[in-house]
Amino acid sequence: MAFRRPFQFREFVSQFWFIASVTILPTALVSIPFGAVIALQVGSLARQLGAESFTGGASVLTVVQQASPMIVALLVSGAAGSAICADLGARTIREEMDAMEVMGISPIQRLVVPRVLACMLAAVALNGLVSCVGVGGGYFFNVVMQGGTPGAYLSSFSALAQLPDLYVGELKAVIFGFIAGVVAAYRGLNPPPGPKGVGDAVNQSVVITFLLLFFTNLVMTAIYLQIVPMKGA
């Protein structure tokens, strides 16, 4: 159904631009301290264990595999997902959805599909941004704040990281964006009666999305660690 003609390309572009505009700055600002905290914590622990040379690899892998997709998903769900749920919920209680069906227009094809696809594309794009900003912030804080050497930071990353680490991060972003969009659209199309019901639906969509995201991240991480061998193993 996603690409069934006529595909609402203009709505898709409009929704993608809206999601990017409301999430890009908060995402970048959140990723800097997040990457810094990871780098400082991992660097402190590595120093206690006498493994300072692996600080860069450990912190970068943590950002790329875990932190970046989760940051993107939470912000897409909290900012864009809540707006999508509120918009669809308001249309539902005004009976616009029923009117569209009477005119032979599918609300799913016209309104839901472009929003879900926009969430997925925005999550992938923002995931790359967060990964770059988080890795850069971790590098700065490890080298400048903790006295690490740039060469050791980069060499440990190249020694431990591999391309599937980047692939799984992007795959997580796609799936997390899909979950955020679908949950927001579903709760928006099925709100409790009345204007108060729209607010309740928005709260429910955010909470349900957060729970699903953490559970999905756990499952995907467990599967990835089982099927993808460690570098050098």
Side-chain angles (χ1 to χ4, degrees), residues 6-24:
F7 178 68
Q8 303 297 327
F9 184 75
R10 180 177 297 180
E11 184 74 10
F12 166 73
V13 173
S14 174
Q15 290 299 317
F16 172 77
W17 177 250
F18 166 74
I19 295 172
S21 64
V22 299
T23 56
I24 187 169

Side-chain angles (χ1 to χ4, degrees), residues 8-232:
Q8 303 297 327
F9 184 75
R10 180 177 297 180
E11 184 74 10
F12 166 73
V13 173
S14 174
Q15 290 299 317
F16 172 77
W17 177 250
F18 166 74
I19 295 172
S21 64
V22 299
T23 56
I24 187 169
L25 183 59
T27 302
L29 294 178
V30 169
S31 61
I32 295 175
F34 215 95
V37 168
I38 292 175
L40 294 174
Q41 187 65 49
V42 172
S44 177
L45 181 61
R47 185 178 295 108
Q48 295 178 30
L49 299 176
E52 294 92 338
S53 59
F54 294 102
T55 301
S59 60
V60 169
L61 288 177
T62 303
V63 170
V64 172
Q65 283 191 24
Q66 304 296 331
S68 178
M70 290 303 297
I71 291 173
V72 170
L74 295 179
L75 287 174
V76 168
S77 173
S82 59
I84 291 173
C85 183
D87 177 44
L88 296 179
R91 293 170 183 260
T92 300
I93 65 173
R94 292 198 302 263
E95 300 182 349
E96 291 184 19
M97 302 301 181
D98 296 335
M100 292 177 66
E101 292 179 351
V102 169
M103 293 186 293
I105 301 174
S106 171
I108 303 296
Q109 187 69 22
R110 178 64 179 83
L111 299 175
V112 174
V113 170
R115 285 163 170 77
V116 174
L117 294 179
C119 283
M120 297 170 64
L121 181 60
V124 173
L126 291 173
N127 185 64
L129 172 66
V130 174
S131 297
C132 294
V133 175
V135 170
Y139 174 87
F140 174 82
F141 280 90
N142 178 258
V143 173
V144 176
M145 301 292 292
Q146 295 184 315
T149 59
Y153 190 94
L154 297 176
S155 63
S156 65
F157 171 64
S158 61
L160 297 176
Q162 49 187 340
L163 276 178
D165 299 324
L166 178 62
Y167 297 156
V168 72
E170 292 292 344
L171 179 61
K172 284 183 179 180
V174 172
I175 295 176
F176 293 169
F178 174 78
I179 292 174
V182 168
V183 173
Y186 177 78
R187 293 308 304 147
L189 293 175
N190 300 276
K196 181 179 180 298
V198 177
D200 294 339
V202 172
N203 293 334
Q204 293 171 9
S205 71
V206 173
V207 173
I208 293 172
T209 303
F210 282 11
L211 294 176
L212 290 176
L213 290 178
F214 284 113
F215 178 76
T216 305
N217 183 59
L218 172 63
V219 173
M220 293 187 64
T221 301
I223 295 175
Y224 173 78
L225 295 177
Q226 290 295 323
I227 65 176
V228 178
M230 293 183 296
K231 191 172 183 179

